[in-house]
Amino acid sequence: MTRFTVNNQPVFYKMDPDTPLLWALRDASNLIGTKYGCGTGDCGACTVDVDGEAVKSCRVPIGALEGRFVTTIEGLSRDRSDPVQQAFAAENVPQCGFCTPGMIMAAAVLLKKLPEPSDAQIDAAMTNLCRCGSYPRLREAIRHAGRVLRGQEPLAAAPPPGIDPADAARAVPALTPVPPAKR
């Protein structure tokens, strides 16, 4: 059994220790904000924060995470209130949205380390691929989030997702909890 912390909650995965973190998060914990893109660590859609480092979860086996702390996009903020999420929305970074969670996580890690990164530092840290080509807005969103995090400017909040997770479960049968008698 592999034990570590995900989004401030202890988890115990009864899975093969070689299982990639991505699949443990998505399949066992139902944290589907972390996306499967390439499976080779090249695209960054699966980026999460592991002990303050941006990590491509498709490349890390859960057995290597014993005792560590993992934060996913859901752990950053379920209601999009995190300044990085807000800045991405304000700067219109998301287009199709597939790469967005991984980019937000990589940006959040960068801003924890470097509260006022240069363009070169942003470019070096943001290795995520975006098919829609939102890179110019990406830089501005990271600078914008940095200013908000440093208290230099306010940020008008983007609207919350507009659906409560319990409501989503009612609308999507696959997300509806199975009553104990039917398991």
Side-chain angles (χ1 to χ4, degrees):
M1 186 177 332
T2 304
R3 300 168 189 248
F4 52 97
T5 302
V6 176
N7 299 336
N8 295 318
Q9 297 295 318
V11 294
F12 310 95
Y13 289 116
K14 294 179 182 177
M15 304 171 85
D16 185 320
D18 290 330
T19 301
L21 174 60
L22 173 64
W23 299 122
L25 294 172
R26 289 184 62 82
D27 295 346
S29 295
N30 199 31
L31 295 169
I32 59 172
T34 305
K35 303 299 184 206
Y36 172 74
C38 64
T40 61
D42 294 318
C43 75
C46 67
T47 302
V48 297
D49 178 333
V50 177
D51 292 335
E53 297 296 324
V55 172
K56 299 191 178 139
S57 63
C58 70
R59 303 296 297 161
V60 178
I62 61 172
L65 297 171
E66 190 76 31
R68 300 187 69 188
F69 292 83
V70 176
T71 303
T72 69
I73 191 75
E74 293 92 348
L76 193 61
S77 168
R78 290 193 69 85
D79 65 357
R80 298 185 200 155
S81 62
D82 182 85
V84 179
Q85 291 171 305
Q86 291 289 311
F88 269 60
E91 298 300 331
N92 293 309
V93 175
Q95 285 188 34
C96 79
F98 192 80
C99 67
T100 306
M103 291 179 117
I104 288 172
M105 293 308 298
V109 168
L110 169 65
L111 289 170
K112 283 181 194 170
K113 292 179 180 180
L114 299 168
E116 196 167 356
S118 67
D119 284 347
Q121 290 167 320
I122 292 171
D123 292 347
M126 299 303 297
T127 59
N128 305 59
L129 300 179
C130 172
R131 291 184 233 175
C132 302
S134 62
Y135 301 111
R137 291 186 309 276
L138 174 65
R139 270 191 191 165
E140 183 49 38
I142 293 170
R143 288 192 293 262
H144 193 165
R147 291 189 302 272
V148 171
L149 288 165
R150 292 188 307 274
Q152 294 175 326
E153 73 178 67
L155 181 63
I163 188 164
D164 181 277
D167 291 336
R170 281 193 288 277
V172 181
L175 296 178
T176 304
V178 177
K182 294 189 178 189
R183 287 185 186 162

